[in-house]
Amino acid sequence: MDYLKGLNPSQQQAVLQTEGPVMIIAGAGSGKTRVITYRVAHLVQKGVDSFNILVLTFTNKAAREMRERIMHVAGPDAKNIWMGTFHSVFAKILRVEADKIGYPSNFTIYDTDDSKSVLRAIIKEMSLDDKLYNQNFVMSRISASKNNLVSWQEYQQNPDIQADDFSSGRGQLGKIYENYVNRCFRAGAMDFDDLLYKTNELLKTHNDVLYKYQNKFKYLMVDEYQDTNFSQYLIVKKLASINQNICVVGDDAQSIYAFRGANIQNILNFEKDYPDLKVFKLEQNYRSTQNIVNVANSIISNNKEQLKKNVFSEKEAGDKIKVMRAFSDNEEGKMTAEAIFQDHANKGMKWNDFAILYRTNAQSRSMEEGLRKLNIPYKIYGGLSFYQRKEIKDLISYFRLTFNPNDEEALKRVINYPKRGIGDTTVDRIIVSAGQNNISPWEAIVNPTQFLDSRTANTVANFGMMIQSFQVITKTMSAYDSALYIAQHSGLLKDLYEDKSVEGLNRYENIQELLNGIKEFSEREDLEEKGLDIFMQDVALLTNDDKDKNKDADTVSLMTIHSSKGLEFPQVFVVGLEENLFPSQMSLNSRTDLEEERRLFYVAVTRAESKLTISYATSRFKFGTLINCEPSRFLDEIDAQYLELDFTAKKAPAGNPFFEDERSAWATKDTFSKPKAATPATNIKTTSILAKAHVPTPGFAPSDTSGLQVGMEVEHERFGFGKVLTLDGNKPDIKATIFFKEVGQKQLLLKFAKLRIV
């Protein structure tokens, strides 16, 4: 019983209550894993047969760590505990019982690529439009159906589902679902969702099997219960129905996976299934400082649907939470990188003490660029580097081929993407013919009739002419206009736009973010050459992969907030706190969705141990259009006493200053007007710099700026009138930071700026 001495009273009570239904509400950083570990170890110490204990987790890593800890406390018998993810445990059961539902015991488990391949074949065989019936969309629809235990028969017979499908022009989804299920069955295969779906089917149709496992698993524990979906909920409920020795552990405030089917009602309504439930609350946060915990509490208190708890910390108060305001997403990346650089240098911190969290993957671009400029090593957690994502590499390959048509790797990547009827056989023939004739594949493409039949040659020739047209336009257009033209006329932009799945939308946003970066590059005043080819040279220096695969490498971590759940860092930067970004625009139509976004913010804040920084930008580019952004409503929900504003607010009120009109030295007043709760923001100003170009004063002529001083009023041919804020550097490379009334702050190299002193 020595292991109990290291637990606080609430943790001890949760460990010792081994009989009957138990719910442990575990606040962030409250020692949840320790409680689960010791509770299972305590069961074994009491004499419970380890074969009769089932522990369900959401990650294999969590299961491995728990098993090691339990064995350390309870001894080698703990290795016999049934412990693992939902999918791994039920796959093990299905291996034993599969014949009862018509599957071989050695059934194959299809991964995502396998499933997509099957769906591609079905859609092709049914002669359906593969754009309308995009495989990612179809797969997500089938997955959602299985997780809600909707069979293909029920799918086809449900009038609401059918009405929705036919109204969107996808009336054959039900038939695709049927064919997919039959194809998998004939192949003796289950996909990832089937491991839960088929387990439910097995327990529902074979009472002997249900009874067998009800009696085998006398004690059940479920970690991260707030993340369970309907299918998982039903399996657990059936298995626990006889002995009722079920313990669920979770935190409703960290339920952030509704998009994957998780249902927060499972934890909110757990007591309805078990009236004799005993509830224990783990409220002491051992991870974060008092200020960070207080901020998290003030955020989550705005949610109506929650299990009340009073999370507290006995650690020092710590630094106040810094809030940084940037004029653009690029400046936000620069400010974040500089803050990390300074603390690394001044406080002796390691790079892996820092994490940057964002709402969407597309936001990583400006963060990566800011870090690279200061030579700060970083890694993308749970995803690829921005410039290594497929859609980015695809478009960049078009750029590469435009400037160097002999680039064979770029050619192979894009010659049939988007699909244009040039298959692998044709590509192979081009490459082989080029080798035999000692010419480049590009030369074969522009002379296709010498190597291919007439029909194929015509298709290949059209591709060649398209690339040649790109070569012409890049000589006359700016970097941004060239890039946008290529993205549009290659068909890539259209292909991604038509993919309405979650993955498709993310890819489309990433392309938009790349174009944003090119737009800003093309407007830089400190560069004499700003063509797309120069941008490509810069990109080539940004895309070297980090060859160090060591997970403990000393690098700053970049990740989405969803990917950060379960992790912790001494310092955390949460970036992009703006309306329509965080909370996302899609979440503003319902209170339920908005509350999940707020829980996501809560998760982000509680990743920080000692220091938390939050930032937002007052403008972002979207496809070449400057969008004025307003601070997130979540900032307004934080108690101002815990904040340190990294900017000067005029007439800051006693409460929160974020939406205070009088502080608008940096933007128009209506930019910061507070949105109504749970409704889409409608007052964001969209301003195209090109559409609203400044008209220079008649007779405009640049002044001699050798005597320019801070505070002077100036005029720029494009940006209009502004005021000089700072002057940095030495002649001839003095940089001026100027606030322009129309477009905000810009940093210009004086020798190229062409300013008129007013």
Side-chain angles (χ1 to χ4, degrees):
M1 300 289 284
D2 287 346
Y3 52 84
L4 295 178
K5 295 178 181 178
L7 303 177
N8 66 38
S10 297
Q11 292 173 330
Q12 283 190 19
Q13 292 171 16
V15 167
L16 295 172
Q17 182 61 50
T18 58
E19 307 304 307
V22 172
M23 179 164 67
I24 301 173
I25 302 172
S30 62
K32 166 179 70 76
T33 302
R34 173 181 288 190
V35 170
I36 296 173
T37 299
Y38 287 176
R39 192 174 190 276
V40 175
H42 187 62
L43 285 170
V44 176
Q45 294 281 60
K46 280 181 58 179
V48 174
D49 192 328
S50 57
F51 284 101
N52 297 138
I53 301 172
L54 171 62
V55 182
L56 296 170
T57 65
F58 271 84
T59 67
N60 289 312
K61 178 184 176 185
R64 285 194 301 270
E65 290 178 351
M66 285 182 194
R67 188 183 298 278
E68 290 172 2
R69 293 190 191 185
I70 293 167
M71 289 179 66
H72 181 72
V73 176
D77 281 351
K79 68 178 182 294
N80 298 319
I81 295 170
W82 281 59
M83 178 181 289
T85 65
F86 279 86
H87 294 88
S88 65
V89 168
F90 297 133
K92 185 177 178 181
I93 291 175
L94 286 169
R95 293 287 183 201
V96 178
E97 313 292 349
D99 63 302
K100 295 180 175 61
I101 54 175
Y103 279 82
S105 61
N106 63 339
F107 62 85
T108 299
I109 299 176
Y110 277 168
D111 62 17
T112 300
D113 288 339
D114 294 324
S115 297
K116 286 182 178 180
S117 180
V118 173
L119 286 172
R120 273 196 303 269
I122 291 171
I123 291 167
K124 184 176 180 180
E125 291 166 9
M126 293 177 66
S127 300
L128 298 174
D129 182 349
D130 59 2
K131 297 291 190 297
L132 186 61
Y133 291 94
N134 177 273
Q135 60 184 337
N136 293 320
F137 175 82
V138 174
M139 190 166 69
S140 66
R141 193 63 170 254
I142 292 175
S143 176
S145 298
K146 288 183 178 181
N147 285 328
N148 285 289
L149 303 182
V150 177
S151 67
W152 66 260
Q153 295 94 334
E154 292 169 316
Y155 189 101
Q156 292 180 2
Q157 294 165 8
N158 187 301
D160 293 331
I161 294 176
Q162 292 303 298
D164 182 58
D165 285 354
F166 277 97
S167 67
S168 66
R170 299 186 179 95
Q172 294 299 310
L173 278 173
K175 188 64 179 177
I176 296 174
Y177 186 6
E178 176 186 355
N179 290 342
Y180 175 75
V181 169
N182 291 335
R183 185 75 62 90
C184 291
F185 183 75
R186 286 198 304 270
M190 297 186 195
D191 66 18
F192 204 60
D193 298 310
D194 279 330
L195 298 177
L196 301 179
Y197 183 89
K198 295 298 181 182
T199 299
N200 269 294
E201 179 183 320
L202 178 69
L203 299 180
K204 180 179 180 181
T205 57
H206 292 79
N207 288 331
D208 58 329
V209 176
L210 174 61
Y211 184 75
K212 171 183 174 180
Y213 290 100
Q214 284 174 333
N215 284 276
K216 177 176 179 58
F217 300 131
K218 300 184 186 302
Y219 293 87
L220 274 74
M221 285 196 69
V222 184
D223 189 19
E224 304 286 9
Y225 190 68
Q226 77 280 350
D227 293 333
T228 54
N229 60 31
F230 179 66
S231 183
Q232 292 162 329
Y233 157 80
L234 209 55
I235 294 171
V236 170
K237 185 179 179 182
K238 287 178 180 177
L239 292 177
S241 61
I242 290 181
N243 296 297
Q244 301 245 324
N245 293 326
I246 178 172
C247 173
V248 300
V249 185
D251 182 6
D252 58 294
Q254 297 186 65
S255 178
I256 59 173
Y257 295 117
F259 69 95
R260 289 198 319 216
N263 187 352
I264 192 174
Q265 298 303 322
N266 291 348
I267 192 168
L268 295 179
N269 297 325
F270 190 69
E271 190 169 4
K272 293 182 179 179
D273 289 331
Y274 303 95
D276 297 329
L277 180 70
K278 290 183 171 60
V279 179
F280 301 95
K281 296 182 180 181
L282 308 183
E283 297 174 307
Q284 182 171 353
N285 182 307
Y286 292 93
R287 175 189 301 156
S288 307
T289 63
Q290 292 180 39
N291 277 329
I292 293 171
V293 170
N294 290 336
V295 165
N297 287 342
S298 66
I299 292 165
I300 204 64
S301 65
N302 290 275
N303 272 8
K304 292 184 178 180
E305 280 198 311
Q306 61 173 299
L307 299 170
K308 293 293 184 182
K309 54 186 173 296
N310 180 33
V311 179
F312 65 95
S313 172
E314 292 186 350
K315 296 180 74 173
E316 70 280 4
D319 294 339
K320 288 189 175 184
I321 283 62
K322 180 179 287 188
V323 180
M324 298 192 304
R325 178 174 63 200
F327 300 112
S328 68
D329 46 350
N330 263 21
E331 190 190 36
E332 184 182 36
K334 178 176 177 288
M335 292 170 67
T336 301
E338 288 175 347
I340 291 173
F341 187 88
Q342 289 174 6
D343 276 359
H344 174 269
N346 299 334
K347 298 182 179 180
M349 300 181 71
K350 295 184 294 184
W351 294 123
N352 59 14
D353 288 334
F354 302 91
I356 302 174
L357 310 183
Y358 35 75
R359 180 64 180 83
T360 67
N361 277 312
Q363 292 170 259
S364 76
R365 178 192 63 81
S366 57
M367 296 298 129
E368 289 187 71
E369 292 184 2
L371 294 169
R372 285 182 182 277
K373 286 176 182 177
L374 292 178
N375 294 318
I376 298 175
Y378 68 90
K379 65 178 179 181
I380 304 290
Y381 186 96
L384 296 171
S385 167
F386 180 84
Y387 290 104
Q388 291 300 310
R389 292 168 185 150
K390 178 187 180 301
E391 59 278 10
I392 300 301
K393 293 182 74 173
D394 288 338
L395 183 52
I396 286 178
S397 292
Y398 272 110
F399 299 162
R400 284 166 51 185
L401 196 60
T402 298
F403 291 103
N404 179 15
N406 293 323
D407 187 333
E408 186 173 319
E409 291 304 311
L411 174 67
K412 289 191 293 187
R413 188 175 187 94
V414 302
I415 191 170
N416 200 38
Y417 177 72
K419 291 182 179 178
R420 51 177 60 92
I422 306 175
D424 291 342
T425 301
T426 301
V427 175
D428 290 342
R429 191 177 305 159
I430 291 171
I431 293 173
V432 170
S433 298
Q436 291 173 343
N437 290 275
N438 197 30
I439 60 175
S440 70
W442 174 252
E443 290 178 87
I445 285 173
V446 295
N447 298 285
T449 55
Q450 298 179 28
F451 311 102
L452 305 168
D453 61 71
S454 58
R455 183 183 62 81
T456 307
N458 186 56
T459 304
V460 170
N462 288 337
F463 172 77
M465 286 188 286
M466 179 184 69
I467 298 300
Q468 288 173 324
S469 72
F470 295 166
Q471 293 171 339
V472 172
I473 64 99
T474 55
K475 295 177 181 178
T476 58
M477 291 185 177
S478 69
Y480 172 75
D481 291 335
S482 297
L484 182 59
Y485 183 95
I486 294 171
Q488 291 172 334
H489 289 78
S490 65
L492 183 147
L493 206 57
K494 181 175 182 290
D495 187 71
L496 293 178
Y497 179 77
E498 291 176 347
D499 181 358
K500 300 302 184 183
S501 67
V502 173
E503 294 86 356
L505 291 172
N506 284 337
R507 285 193 287 269
Y508 185 75
E509 288 178 356
N510 288 337
I511 290 294
Q512 172 185 301
E513 191 65 16
L514 175 63
L515 293 173
N516 291 345
I518 298 172
K519 175 70 173 179
E520 293 179 359
F521 169 85
S522 68
E523 293 185 341
R524 285 175 56 181
E525 294 291 326
D526 58 330
L527 296 176
E528 294 186 47
E529 294 184 285
K530 294 180 284 190
L532 187 57
D533 55 336
I534 304 301
F535 176 82
M536 290 303 300
Q537 292 177 30
D538 287 353
V539 168
L541 298 174
L542 293 177
T543 55
N544 291 328
D545 284 333
D546 183 3
K547 304 299 181 183
D548 185 2
K549 302 300 180 184
N550 183 2
K551 293 182 180 179
D552 297 322
D554 191 17
T555 56
V556 176
S557 295
L558 276 68
M559 67 190 78
T560 65
I561 301 168
H562 282 101
S563 297
S564 74
K565 190 167 178 292
L567 302 176
E568 56 189 42
F569 301 89
Q571 283 206 36
V572 170
F573 292 79
V574 186
V575 300
L577 262 292
E578 299 142 32
E579 286 291 304
N580 294 318
L581 180 57
F582 196 16
S584 69
Q585 188 169 11
M586 293 177 64
S587 73
L588 301 180
N589 294 317
S590 75
R591 180 176 60 82
T592 299
D593 292 341
L594 185 60
E595 291 202 349
E596 171 139 342
E597 287 286 294
R598 189 175 286 112
R599 293 194 294 271
L600 191 60
F601 187 31
Y602 176 88
V603 167
V605 166
T606 54
R607 298 311 93 199
E609 297 173 356
S610 59
K611 187 174 181 180
L612 173 67
T613 302
I614 300 170
S615 64
Y616 67 94
T618 59
S619 66
R620 288 181 187 269
F621 274 104
K622 241 184 178 181
F623 277 115
T625 299
L626 185 68
I627 303 296
N628 284 348
C629 306
E630 58 184 75
S632 169
R633 68 189 69 197
F634 296 156
L635 291 170
D636 196 34
E637 295 172 354
I638 301 175
D639 192 327
Q641 67 176 306
Y642 306 121
L643 301 179
E644 173 192 336
L645 306 187
D646 197 25
F647 51 86
T648 302
K650 293 185 178 181
K651 297 185 180 179
N656 191 289
F658 285 101
F659 293 100
E660 210 248 326
D661 289 344
E662 294 300 320
R663 64 168 183 154
S664 55
W666 311 106
T668 55
K669 292 184 179 181
D670 59 340
T671 302
F672 295 91
S673 58
K674 186 174 181 179
K676 296 179 180 178
T679 57
T682 57
N683 58 345
I684 292 180
K685 297 178 67 179
T686 303
T687 308
S688 169
I689 292 178
L690 297 179
K692 294 184 64 177
H694 170 68
V695 179
T697 301
F700 177 92
S703 303
D704 176 5
T705 55
S706 59
L708 191 68
Q709 297 180 15
V710 173
M712 283 187 172
E713 298 282 342
V714 295
E715 181 185 11
H716 185 276
E717 279 188 291
R718 290 182 57 207
F719 301 145
F721 293 97
K723 188 174 185 178
V724 179
L725 301 180
T726 64
L727 292 169
D728 300 301
N730 300 313
K731 293 181 180 180
D733 297 318
I734 297 176
K735 291 182 180 179
T737 301
I738 303 172
F739 182 79
F740 293 98
K741 296 177 182 178
E742 294 296 326
V743 298
Q745 180 173 297
K746 297 283 184 181
Q747 189 175 72
L748 309 177
L749 201 59
L750 279 187
K751 63 183 179 181
F752 299 124
K754 298 179 181 178
L755 299 172
R756 182 180 75 87
I757 298 175
V758 178

